């Protein structure tokens, strides 16, 4: 009456042998509990790239939670993100390099362990996001391959005996029916308190009995507990890395990346595609298209007729990537610094402006600062005005700035304040973009979050052009009312 779940065939006809032939691979399954550290050589480039790509996925998961996306929408976004950045194809895939895919997934996870084990808050966020990623991958995995993975894990829950089934028959019949309703598992109830709370199990003598369809809850709980223990162990071992000048800065950047949506390279090629600007256009551009961080610096520049060095560097690189060529940049800064003489400007400022365009010094074409860098490089002195206002402004000052510059109302202000308190700065900035552009809540910048000041401005300009052409009905999700 109670058949063994290990012999069930829920894949539509595939045989166990077709999956087992992959058991000799280093990574026989695309699902992974990450219970064994990666072995072998890893280059610094791989160390950083694998972690960054994985962090893109986890960052989008956190962003989706902060934006209260429904479960189905969250699942769709997660699938899109990991398919793009950390793909894991089925064993039946013909052309994919399965070994390299799974190696990247494995190494990226362990690098992020090092970055996120440093505090209880970081560990909590990492576990939550990784568990969400595992849940989506588990649900999308091929049924037969998933069964083979579970068999390989040797979990300590077991199938209910026929004697137990007979004594609990009436109670088990009250549980939700499933395709495998005659297959039941038992585990200690402390493993699945959520199922106990929802009354989806039968309790007896400290054991919880459930249909095999509920096995996923056991798996997810085991994944979470395993990762929590592993992070605590990693935290104890982390001090050994403190002397490695190559690794520690990378780990610091990765952990900070969560605060900004983890976008690390937007804008690296944006300057080549941005429309040409002139110095006289910047005032109107700032009013219509700039994020708060850059608009605040622009207004300070107009007020002071000057900007300190780091503020000038941050704002200047933003304008460069926005499309302001070097000739117009020199005109813009010279007119802005109206209190100084031409001689002083040429001696003290012109070289640095040309240097940022790669025309002096080592002639490097410097990219604009990402949101992560803007957040981390906050102004430390009273006269500095660079950095992320969602981080550096007092709550009342932030409220005043958003109301005056972006017409944010009191109801939306409460939501934005809540996001800022939760350190979801990029989501708060995205919400300001939606409000100021009349875009439906949650639609974002074509579904994206603000992770770069130039992304904010570029999407704003694109939206304006679409509306001028009368294409907003096709390209923009407008706010109701």
């Amino acid at each position: 009456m109670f058949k063994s779940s290990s012999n069930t065939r829920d894949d539509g006809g595939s045989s166990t042998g077709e999956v087992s032939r992959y058991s000799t691979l280093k990574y026989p399954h695309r699902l992974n509990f990450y219970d064994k550290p990666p072995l072998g050589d890893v280059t610094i480039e791989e160390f950083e790239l694998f972690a960054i790509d994985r962090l893109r996925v986890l960052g989008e998961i956190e962003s989706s939670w902060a934006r209260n996306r429904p479960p189905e929408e969250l699942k769709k976004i997660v699938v899109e993100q990991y398919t793009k950045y950390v793909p894991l194809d089925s064993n039946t895939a013909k052309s994919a390099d399965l070994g390299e895919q799974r190696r990247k997934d494995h190494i990226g996870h362990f690098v992020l362990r090092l970055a996120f084990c440093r505090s209880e808050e970081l560990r909590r966020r990492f576990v939550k996001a990784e568990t969400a990623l595992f849940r989506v991958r588990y649900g999308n995995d091929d049924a037969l391959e998933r069964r083979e993975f579970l068999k390989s894990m040797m979990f300590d829950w077991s199938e209910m005996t026929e004697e137990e089934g007979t004594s609990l028959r009436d109670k088990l019949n009250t549980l939700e029916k499933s395709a495998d309703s005659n297959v039941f598992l038992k585990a200690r109830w402390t493993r699945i308190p959520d199922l106990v709370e929802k009354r989806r199990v039968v309790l007896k003598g400290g054991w919880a009995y459930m249909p095999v369809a509920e096995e996923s809850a056991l798996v997810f709980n085991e994944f979470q507990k395993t990762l929590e223990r592993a992070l605590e162990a990693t935290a104890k071992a982390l001090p050994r890395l403190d002397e490695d000048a190559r690794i520690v800065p990378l780990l610091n950047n990765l952990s900070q990346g969560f605060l900004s949506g983890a976008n690390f390279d937007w804008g690296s090629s944006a300057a080549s595609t941005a429309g040409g600007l002139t110095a006289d256009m910047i005032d109107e551009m700032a009013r219509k298209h700039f994020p708060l961080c850059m608009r605040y610096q622009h207004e300070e520049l107009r007020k002071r007729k000057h900007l300190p060095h780091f503020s000038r560097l941050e704002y200047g690189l933003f304008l460069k990537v926005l499309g302001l060529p070097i000739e117009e940049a020199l005109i813009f800064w010279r007119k802005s610094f109206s209190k100084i003489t031409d001689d002083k400007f040429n001696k003290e400022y012109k070289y640095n402006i040309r240097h940022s365009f790669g025309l002096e010094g080592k002639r490097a074409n410097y990219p604009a600062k990402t949101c992560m860098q803007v957040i981390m490089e906050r102004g430390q002195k009273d006269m500095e005005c660079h950095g992320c206002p969602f981080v550096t402004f007092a709550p009342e000052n932030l409220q005043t700035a958003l109301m005056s510059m972006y017409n944010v109302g009191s109801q939306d202000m409460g939501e934005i304040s809540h996001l800022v308190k939760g350190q979801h700065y990029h989501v708060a900035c995205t919400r300001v973009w939606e409000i100021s552009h009349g875009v439906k809540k949650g639609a974002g910048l074509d579904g994206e979050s603000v992770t770069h000041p130039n992304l904010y401005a570029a999407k704003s300009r694109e939206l304006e052009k679409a509306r001028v052409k009368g294409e907003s009905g096709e390209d923009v999700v407008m706010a109701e009312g």
Side-chain angles (χ1 to χ4, degrees), residues 40-60:
D41 295 333
V42 180
T43 66
I44 288 293
E45 290 76 15
E46 289 177 329
F47 186 94
E48 182 176 20
L49 177 61
F50 291 175
I52 287 175
D53 280 348
R54 191 179 194 88
L55 191 56
R56 297 179 198 272
V57 182
L58 302 186
E60 195 57 45

Side-chain angles (χ1 to χ4, degrees), residues 171-231:
K171 293 182 178 180
L172 292 172
N173 287 337
T174 64
L175 297 177
E176 181 179 352
K177 298 294 182 180
S178 68
D180 291 304
S181 57
N182 59 338
V183 181
F184 290 85
L185 302 174
K186 71 173 184 177
R188 288 295 178 184
W189 74 268
T190 51
R191 284 183 172 274
I192 44 172
D194 53 333
L195 292 184
V196 175
E197 182 183 5
K198 296 175 183 177
R199 299 186 179 183
R200 293 168 65 177
V201 299
V202 172
L203 297 176
K204 182 179 180 181
W207 292 94
Y209 297 84
M210 74 211 80
V212 72
E214 304 288 1
E215 185 177 32
S216 60
L218 287 166
V219 177
F220 301 151
N221 185 71
E222 189 70 19
F223 179 89
Q224 179 176 326
K225 296 300 182 185
T226 299
L227 184 52
E228 287 172 350
R229 291 192 296 267
L231 283 171

Side-chain angles (χ1 to χ4, degrees), residues 171-387:
K171 293 182 178 180
L172 292 172
N173 287 337
T174 64
L175 297 177
E176 181 179 352
K177 298 294 182 180
S178 68
D180 291 304
S181 57
N182 59 338
V183 181
F184 290 85
L185 302 174
K186 71 173 184 177
R188 288 295 178 184
W189 74 268
T190 51
R191 284 183 172 274
I192 44 172
D194 53 333
L195 292 184
V196 175
E197 182 183 5
K198 296 175 183 177
R199 299 186 179 183
R200 293 168 65 177
V201 299
V202 172
L203 297 176
K204 182 179 180 181
W207 292 94
Y209 297 84
M210 74 211 80
V212 72
E214 304 288 1
E215 185 177 32
S216 60
L218 287 166
V219 177
F220 301 151
N221 185 71
E222 189 70 19
F223 179 89
Q224 179 176 326
K225 296 300 182 185
T226 299
L227 184 52
E228 287 172 350
R229 291 192 296 267
L231 283 171
E232 291 174 0
T234 304
K236 295 178 181 178
L238 189 65
R240 303 174 191 172
L241 293 175
D242 284 347
E243 297 180 1
D244 195 324
R246 302 168 302 165
I247 301 300
V248 174
L250 289 178
L251 298 180
N252 289 335
N253 284 340
L254 290 169
S255 60
Q256 287 293 326
F258 240 4
L259 300 178
S260 63
N263 192 308
F264 290 79
D265 61 0
W266 196 95
S268 58
S269 61
S272 62
T273 59
L277 300 178
T278 66
D280 294 336
M281 296 169 62
I282 301 303
D283 284 335
E284 183 180 7
M285 290 285 295
R287 179 178 59 82
K288 297 169 62 176
H289 302 301
F290 285 11
L292 180 58
C293 54
M294 299 303 158
R295 186 167 177 179
Y296 173 65
Q297 292 186 80
H298 181 80
E299 301 218 349
E300 288 296 299
L301 174 62
R302 288 291 179 251
K303 184 191 306 181
R304 304 181 190 181
K305 311 299 183 184
H306 186 268
L307 279 182
H309 172 73
F310 291 108
S311 303
R312 192 166 64 248
L313 176 62
E314 185 175 283
Y315 186 45
L317 291 174
F318 167 80
L319 293 177
K320 182 186 79 167
V321 172
L322 194 67
L324 189 69
I326 179 60
E327 297 82 6
E328 293 295 326
L330 290 170
I331 294 172
F332 170 78
W333 288 108
R334 179 64 195 99
K335 288 183 176 179
S336 298
F337 287 10
S338 58
K339 292 183 177 180
I340 64 174
T341 64
D342 287 342
D343 185 60
K344 182 177 177 66
F345 179 82
N346 290 333
K347 288 181 177 179
E348 298 184 15
Y349 300 102
K350 187 175 181 178
Y351 177 89
N352 287 335
I353 296 170
R354 288 176 53 82
H355 187 274
S356 67
F357 277 79
L359 300 176
E360 302 287 356
K362 64 179 182 180
R363 299 182 183 274
N365 187 19
Y366 297 97
K369 303 292 185 181
T370 67
C371 283
M372 182 188 74
Q373 292 169 319
V374 171
I375 288 172
M376 293 176 65
E377 297 177 5
R378 65 187 70 177
Q380 299 297 323
K381 299 179 181 179
D382 292 339
M383 295 302 294
E384 295 285 1
C385 56
H386 65 290

Side-chain angles (χ1 to χ4, degrees), residues 112-228:
L112 291 187
R113 274 195 194 179
L114 294 174
F116 284 90
C117 71
R118 302 173 170 211
S119 70
E120 184 177 349
E121 173 66 11
L122 285 174
R123 290 195 294 269
R124 181 191 64 80
R125 293 172 65 174
F126 181 65
V127 169
K128 186 178 179 182
E130 277 283 346
T131 303
L133 174 60
F134 181 83
R135 290 174 71 100
V136 174
R137 283 177 165 174
Y138 184 91
N140 281 2
D141 199 15
D142 176 82
L144 182 59
E145 291 184 27
R146 183 170 60 233
R147 177 56 54 192
E148 288 290 312
F149 166 74
L150 294 179
K151 287 169 61 178
S152 73
M153 292 302 297
M154 303 291 290
F155 292 124
D156 61 356
W157 55 82
S158 60
E159 291 186 30
M160 181 179 62
T161 65
E162 190 164 342
E163 181 180 350
E164 290 170 328
T166 300
S167 64
L168 297 172
R169 186 197 308 266
D170 293 339
K171 293 182 178 180
L172 292 172
N173 287 337
T174 64
L175 297 177
E176 181 179 352
K177 298 294 182 180
S178 68
D180 291 304
S181 57
N182 59 338
V183 181
F184 290 85
L185 302 174
K186 71 173 184 177
R188 288 295 178 184
W189 74 268
T190 51
R191 284 183 172 274
I192 44 172
D194 53 333
L195 292 184
V196 175
E197 182 183 5
K198 296 175 183 177
R199 299 186 179 183
R200 293 168 65 177
V201 299
V202 172
L203 297 176
K204 182 179 180 181
W207 292 94
Y209 297 84
M210 74 211 80
V212 72
E214 304 288 1
E215 185 177 32
S216 60
L218 287 166
V219 177
F220 301 151
N221 185 71
E222 189 70 19
F223 179 89
Q224 179 176 326
K225 296 300 182 185
T226 299
L227 184 52
E228 287 172 350

Side-chain angles (χ1 to χ4, degrees), residues 70 85 97 132 152 160 255 335 408 427 455:
Y85 294 113
D97 187 343
S152 73
M160 181 179 62
S255 60
K335 288 183 176 179
V408 176
V427 182
L455 174 63

